[in-house]
Amino acid sequence: GTEVAIKTLKNLSSAGFEEEVKVLSRFRHPNLVILLGFARHSNGDRSLVYEYLAGGDVSSRLKQCRSRSQPKLFDAKLRLSVALDAASGLSHPHNATPRAFHRDIKSPNILLCKNGTAKMADFGLSCVSRDSQHKVHLASGTAGYACPEYVRTGIVTEGSEVHSFG
């Protein structure tokens, strides 16, 4: 009787499965999406089972507002609330021990409950570190969101995450 969302990763694109399970199993916060379970299938596919968030993602809400089809759908008050929720969700793993870095902060990865509460999602590129910074072999993320210094050096920090969030 519980509504869930299921993300299936095909065998060839299962990168990020282990990272997502590791991070979302370790960290609990009202502004982080809840991972309810996962499965490895015999054909090599993998599935992640999440709480269902009926409000969609921030990117879709912004697009709907721009098209003027539903301008009040995402008013200034709700946008500010979403920004605070997302920042709170990101702050939790940044300040934990060990800490976690998301590495792909963008509006499609901020999901909304039916009441408008925002939750950070898609931790497939995340990394866990005991230090305040973490050197990765390959800088990941979405062009236009990723911090240029992080892309250049491969060092992710809370500051580079703040850049992406901004």
Side-chain angles (χ1 to χ4, degrees):
T2 301
E3 286 188 277
V4 298
I6 300 175
K7 178 164 82 173
T8 300
L9 305 166
K10 297 295 178 193
N11 188 22
L12 297 174
S13 67
S14 62
F17 176 80
E18 301 292 333
E19 291 79 5
E20 185 123 7
V21 170
K22 183 177 4 175
V23 168
L24 289 178
S25 296
R26 179 173 282 156
F27 300 102
R28 294 274 186 231
H29 189 274
N31 300 112
L32 297 178
V33 68
I34 298 171
L35 178 68
L36 299 170
F38 61 91
R40 292 182 177 96
H41 306 283
S42 60
N43 66 356
D45 291 355
R46 296 180 170 123
S47 296
L48 296 159
V49 182
Y50 302 98
E51 67 178 311
Y52 177 69
L53 298 172
D57 65 78
V58 169
S59 180
S60 298
R61 288 277 184 107
L62 289 169
K63 286 177 187 170
Q64 289 174 336
C65 283
R66 280 189 213 114
S67 71
R68 307 231 190 269
S69 63
Q70 297 179 348
K72 299 209 186 259
L73 183 67
F74 203 42
D75 63 14
K77 184 177 177 182
L78 181 55
R79 289 181 194 205
L80 180 58
S81 176
V82 164
L84 291 171
D85 287 348
S88 181
L90 287 169
S91 178
H92 179 69
H94 285 169
N95 293 294
T97 303
R99 63 185 72 225
F101 299 104
H102 188 281
R103 298 198 317 145
D104 196 23
I105 302 165
K106 58 185 179 180
S107 56
N109 290 341
I110 302 172
L111 304 180
L112 303 170
C113 296
K114 62 183 176 185
N115 66 1
T117 300
K119 297 189 177 208
M120 291 303 304
D122 197 350
F123 284 80
L125 295 178
S126 63
C127 61
V128 176
S129 176
R130 296 223 172 265
D131 298 319
S132 60
Q133 62 183 26
H134 186 76
K135 173 81 169 153
V136 295
H137 297 293
L138 179 63
S140 301
T142 303
Y145 289 93
C147 175
E149 186 174 332
Y150 157 64
V151 171
R152 185 176 49 76
T153 64
I155 298 174
V156 62
T157 64
E158 187 175 359
S160 64
E161 298 263 279
V162 169
H163 180 280
S164 296
F165 181 70

